[in-house]
Amino acid sequence: MDEQRARERGPAQWWHHGPPWWNHPEATGPGLGTRRPRLPWRSSVLLTVLVLVVSNFAAHAQPHREPLDPYARLLLLATCALLLWRHRHPVFVAFGTAASALVYLGAGYPYGPVFAAVAVACFSAVVAGHRRAAWTALGMLWAGHLLISLWLYRELPPPGDTGANLGQEVIIATWVLIIVAVAELVRLRREQWARERADRAQAARRRADEERLRIARELHDVLAHSISVINVQAGMGLALLDSDPEQARAALTTIKAASKEALGEVRQVLDTLRAPGDAPRGPAPGLGRLPELVEQAAGAGLAVTVTGKPPALPPGADLAAFRIVQEALTNVVRHSGSRHARVRLEHGGGELRLRIDDDGPATGADAGGSGNGLAGMRERAAALGGTIEAGPCADGGFRVLAVLPLDDRHDRHHNRDRHDNHDREDR
């Protein structure tokens, strides 16, 4: 269903959550996968060509520096070649390119795009989470250049070099800080993308879990009640098959009606698994179908007395109230020796009170129950902001008391949260 919604929304707006390849499973770093990333051949070759070509123009513009000889070109090529491993070994590449650039400058070769290779290496190290290593490599390069240009220029080529002034070094230091700042911004944005993706994945898992629980709860309530009726009527039909065929026929008729009703409700529950946008095939059950529930219980041999009239309820509360009464009566059929139950409906003060009593005693019979019925009732009530109290009475019977709010503020709040989550995904 989430994939279907994604297809309906169209292509992802990656500028909010990062490009799809940014946190590729093959990437490494904090919060990423453990597989080794691919070597960035294309970008490294492109940068190498750029460095070699532009360095030629820089050499013509700086005739006072040493000309680019084969050793200089090999040094530039080695510096750029290190960038192939900037994703696998970012710390080594950051220090390697900084040291290579320092040797290049110490040999008196012209200033130029060799610094671009160092910037790319340190940028990758910062983004990968190795901030201190990148800062140290840049600091080492700047300190080495400062030492060469202010003190060692007389002993190093080119001959007759006058060195640099402090203003030029400040400009270089400013560029270093700009590189670090941009890399830090990218790193922070990347971490934010990773957190947003993790949050969206967790929200999707939570919604899927809630949907599975809701469907499981609906199926349990529908099947438990209907199968209990079918079980009682089947036993009665078998017992009366020879002695009272008409009564056995009535039992089989009840089984047919109960099974048909159960199949219809199961189909309605499973409608939620169809593609989004399809309308449900029928209205959800509510307290308006309480007479049908009483009739089904009578078919199982349980006489039910209903006191009070149900008020107008929001759809979610109406369904929850119906399922709570249904499950309570099912438990009476399955686990109580009483053949009479009382359902009392009271409303006032902004809440609905449902009370289901039987006279007991408990039979101890277990028709496959595992306590899921009471747990489901509590989950339904809690989802609406209500409460459930269930336990034995002093006279030996059993009571279920449900208190549900009459307004739909909790439903609106829950739906608003779901819409907000969907809106955040769309953004």
Side-chain angles (χ1 to χ4, degrees):
M1 296 174 66
D2 291 338
E3 293 178 357
Q4 178 69 24
R5 282 195 292 267
R7 287 193 293 269
E8 292 174 354
R9 287 198 300 268
Q13 299 178 353
W14 62 263
W15 52 86
H16 288 294
H17 305 297
W21 45 263
W22 192 267
N23 285 327
H24 195 273
E26 293 182 349
T28 58
L32 304 180
T34 58
R35 294 177 58 187
R36 301 181 70 185
R38 297 175 181 175
L39 295 179
W41 285 99
R42 295 181 181 178
S43 59
S44 298
V45 170
L46 181 62
L47 185 62
T48 301
V49 173
L50 180 66
V51 167
L52 292 175
V53 172
V54 178
S55 293
N56 286 326
F57 291 100
H60 287 91
Q62 304 173 51
H64 60 284
R65 303 289 293 178
E66 291 290 324
L68 288 179
D69 53 21
Y71 296 105
R73 299 182 191 281
L74 286 175
L75 198 55
L76 290 174
L77 188 61
T79 303
C80 295
L82 286 172
L83 296 177
L84 283 172
W85 290 273
R86 65 181 183 269
H87 296 321
R88 293 186 181 181
H89 309 287
V91 175
F92 171 77
V93 173
F95 281 101
T97 53
S100 179
L102 194 57
V103 172
Y104 175 89
L105 296 177
Y109 295 120
Y111 294 96
V114 67
F115 293 111
V118 181
V120 170
C122 292
F123 181 90
S124 299
V126 171
V127 170
H130 303 284
R131 304 161 61 193
R132 292 184 180 180
W135 297 347
T136 304
L138 286 173
M140 180 188 74
L141 177 60
W142 181 75
H145 178 265
L146 187 67
L147 183 65
I148 292 172
S149 60
L150 295 182
W151 288 284
L152 300 179
Y153 63 92
R154 296 183 183 87
E155 289 78 16
L156 296 173
D161 190 9
T162 58
N165 57 47
L166 192 59
Q168 292 175 331
E169 296 301 328
V170 171
I171 293 175
I172 294 175
T174 302
W175 278 107
V176 170
L177 292 177
I178 290 175
I179 293 172
V180 171
V182 172
E184 286 291 337
L185 288 176
V186 174
R187 180 187 63 84
L188 292 174
R189 185 56 176 162
R190 187 181 188 183
E191 292 179 354
Q192 182 181 358
W193 283 337
R195 286 194 299 270
E196 288 175 354
R197 292 187 180 203
D199 291 343
R200 286 185 287 116
Q202 183 179 4
R205 288 193 298 269
R206 184 171 59 250
R207 286 195 301 273
D209 291 341
E210 290 175 353
E211 186 70 6
R212 283 194 295 269
L213 286 174
R214 187 187 70 80
I215 294 173
R217 199 162 47 231
E218 289 289 320
L219 289 175
H220 174 273
D221 292 348
V222 170
L223 296 178
H225 176 77
S226 300
I227 291 177
S228 295
V229 173
I230 291 171
N231 180 60
V232 171
Q233 291 297 324
M236 184 183 301
L238 287 174
L240 299 175
L241 184 61
D242 296 327
S243 59
D244 193 344
E246 289 300 321
Q247 206 52 25
R249 183 187 299 274
L252 291 176
T253 302
T254 302
I255 290 175
K256 180 180 178 180
S259 60
K260 181 179 179 181
E261 178 74 17
L263 287 174
E265 294 200 25
V266 168
R267 290 193 190 99
Q268 187 172 343
V269 171
L270 295 181
D271 278 346
T272 58
L273 299 178
R274 293 183 295 140
D278 292 346
R281 296 192 177 111
L287 289 180
R289 292 179 54 184
L290 197 55
E292 297 179 26
L293 195 60
V294 171
E295 184 178 350
Q296 291 177 2
L302 179 66
V304 180
T305 302
V306 179
T307 305
K309 294 184 178 180
L313 293 172
D318 203 17
L319 173 61
F322 177 81
R323 293 300 187 203
I324 288 171
V325 175
Q326 184 184 53
E327 179 62 26
L329 295 180
T330 300
N331 288 339
V332 175
V333 172
R334 296 169 63 184
H335 305 300
S336 174
S338 173
R339 295 297 89 193
H340 183 265
R342 297 177 298 278
V343 177
R344 185 176 184 85
L345 293 84
E346 299 175 347
H347 58 91
E351 62 183 24
L352 170 68
R353 296 172 62 87
L354 292 170
R355 195 178 74 189
I356 302 94
D357 296 294
D358 70 85
D359 299 329
T363 61
D366 185 45
S370 58
N372 292 328
L374 288 176
M377 286 193 285
R378 291 191 175 95
E379 289 172 1
R380 288 184 184 278
L384 297 170
T387 59
I388 286 282
E389 296 179 7
C393 302
D395 57 0
F398 196 86
R399 170 174 294 176
V400 174
L401 177 62
V403 180
L404 304 177
L406 286 176
D407 58 67
D408 59 348
R409 285 177 299 178
H410 193 276
D411 280 344
R412 290 199 302 268
H413 178 71
H414 180 67
N415 291 333
R416 184 169 62 250
D417 288 344
R418 295 184 63 182
H419 290 318
D420 290 343
N421 289 334
H422 293 162
D423 290 342
R424 281 194 292 271
E425 288 184 6
D426 293 338
R427 291 197 298 269

